[in-house]
């Protein structure tokens, strides 16, 4: 058996999509058992996932594919391009020009998120829809409720991390975005930050009791 490592297994799945362990072994000149050993390790690391697909005859066929985290394993040139574009904007138009562009992006994103959230009634519904939007945008987001009744929005991946390193305003804009779309009856606080060395970005969304203003007689 040729000594191909897990990286080659990831590359095959990236290039060809879902495959059986036997199919991966054939492409890498290894046995199905050897491929399965690599796949099990990659699955434990969260880089691959599998689906057992029923067949007309015989046992279900197990198809392996990259998980979201597995896709994120492959670095993209566009991350460097984003940083280079931000630097070029500052050179050409100064810090004020960059601020104008970030404000325009923030307004577009806020409009898209408000449209998607619609007239969501409860905070729980808004958190759910916001998490779905962040997943669509590539942040590998998840949420859960904690004991004090607040919600945690957790982002396990940042597709704009490289650009955010070059422009901290991107992170500040996202915190403001979350606060705007969640509304006045929720307080959004960032409690973990990838750029600060944390494993993920996490936001605590705490319900706020709004006291009605009495009507003047």
């Amino acid at each position: 058996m040729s000594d191909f490592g897990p990286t080659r297994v990831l590359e095959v799945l990236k290039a060809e999509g879902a495959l059986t362990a036997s199919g991966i072994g054939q492409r890498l000149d290894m046995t199905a058992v050897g491929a399965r050993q690599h796949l099990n390790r990659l699955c434990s690391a969260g880089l691959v996932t599998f689906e057992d697909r029923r067949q007309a005859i015989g046992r279900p066929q197990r198809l392996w594919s990259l998980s979201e985290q597995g896709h994120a394993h492959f670095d993209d040139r566009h991350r460097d391009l984003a940083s280079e574009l931000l630097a070029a904007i500052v050179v050409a138009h100064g810090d004020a020009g960059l601020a104008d562009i970030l404000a325009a992006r923030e307004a577009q994103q806020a409009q898209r998120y408000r449209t998607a959230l619609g007239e969501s009634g409860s905070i729980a519904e808004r958190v759910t829809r916001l998490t779905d939007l962040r997943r669509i945008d590539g942040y590998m987001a998840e949420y859960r409720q904690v004991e004090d009744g607040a919600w945690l929005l957790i982002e396990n991946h940042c597709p704009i991390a490289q650009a955010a390193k070059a422009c901290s305003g991107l992170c500040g804009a996202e915190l403001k975005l979350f606060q705007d779309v969640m509304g006045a009856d929720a307080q959004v606080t960032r409690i973990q930050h990838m750029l600060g060395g944390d494993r993920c970005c996490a936001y605590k969304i705490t319900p706020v009791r709004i006291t009605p203003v009495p009507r003047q007689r």
Side-chain angles (χ1 to χ4, degrees):
M1 181 182 70
S2 300
D3 187 19
F4 290 94
T7 298
R8 290 289 292 125
V9 174
L10 293 174
E11 289 173 352
V12 168
L13 291 175
K14 179 71 171 175
E16 301 195 34
L19 291 169
T20 63
S22 177
I24 293 170
Q26 291 173 3
R27 285 157 178 80
L28 296 180
D29 190 26
M30 67 170 64
T31 65
V33 172
R36 198 171 292 112
Q37 289 175 349
H38 286 309
L39 288 164
N40 287 333
R41 286 196 291 268
L42 291 169
C43 188
S44 297
L47 296 173
V48 300
T49 185
F50 62 83
E51 174 190 1
D52 289 329
R53 189 171 298 176
R54 289 186 177 181
Q55 302 184 96
I57 301 175
R59 299 173 60 185
Q61 184 182 55
R62 176 159 292 187
L63 292 174
W64 295 87
S65 59
L66 293 179
S67 64
E68 288 186 75
Q69 188 176 343
H71 282 290
H73 175 79
F74 294 88
D75 196 14
D76 292 323
R77 178 69 181 98
H78 75 266
R79 297 178 184 175
D80 294 332
L81 176 60
S83 300
E84 292 167 2
L85 286 174
L86 289 172
I89 290 169
V90 173
V91 171
H93 303 287
D95 290 335
L98 177 60
D100 289 341
I101 290 173
L102 292 179
R105 174 187 178 271
E106 181 182 343
Q108 290 176 339
Q109 196 173 27
Q111 181 60 43
R112 179 166 67 89
Y113 277 37
R114 289 193 193 101
T115 300
L117 264 67
E119 298 297 328
S120 301
S122 68
I123 291 179
E125 291 172 335
R126 277 172 272 162
V127 170
T128 300
R129 293 194 181 186
L130 178 58
T131 303
D132 289 341
L133 286 169
R134 299 304 280 177
R135 285 179 185 148
I136 292 170
D137 286 349
Y139 288 84
M140 294 179 63
E142 58 183 317
Y143 70 90
R144 63 174 180 265
Q145 192 169 22
V146 292
E147 292 181 358
D148 63 0
W151 297 84
L152 290 183
L153 170 59
I154 301 166
E155 297 179 340
N156 296 298
H157 175 65
C158 180
I160 64 167
Q162 198 67 26
K165 290 178 182 178
C167 178
S168 59
L170 289 171
C171 292
E174 292 196 338
L175 179 59
K176 183 177 183 298
L177 170 68
F178 293 168
Q179 183 63 71
D180 288 346
V181 299
M182 285 303 302
D185 59 342
Q187 180 181 19
V188 182
T189 307
R190 182 189 287 125
I191 58 174
Q192 293 187 58
H193 196 196
M194 287 185 188
L195 291 188
D198 293 317
R199 182 195 65 79
C200 63
C201 286
Y203 300 84
K204 188 173 185 179
I205 302 173
T206 307
V208 175
R209 179 171 295 181
I210 300 176
T211 304
V213 178
R215 295 182 179 179
Q216 296 182 349
R217 295 182 179 179

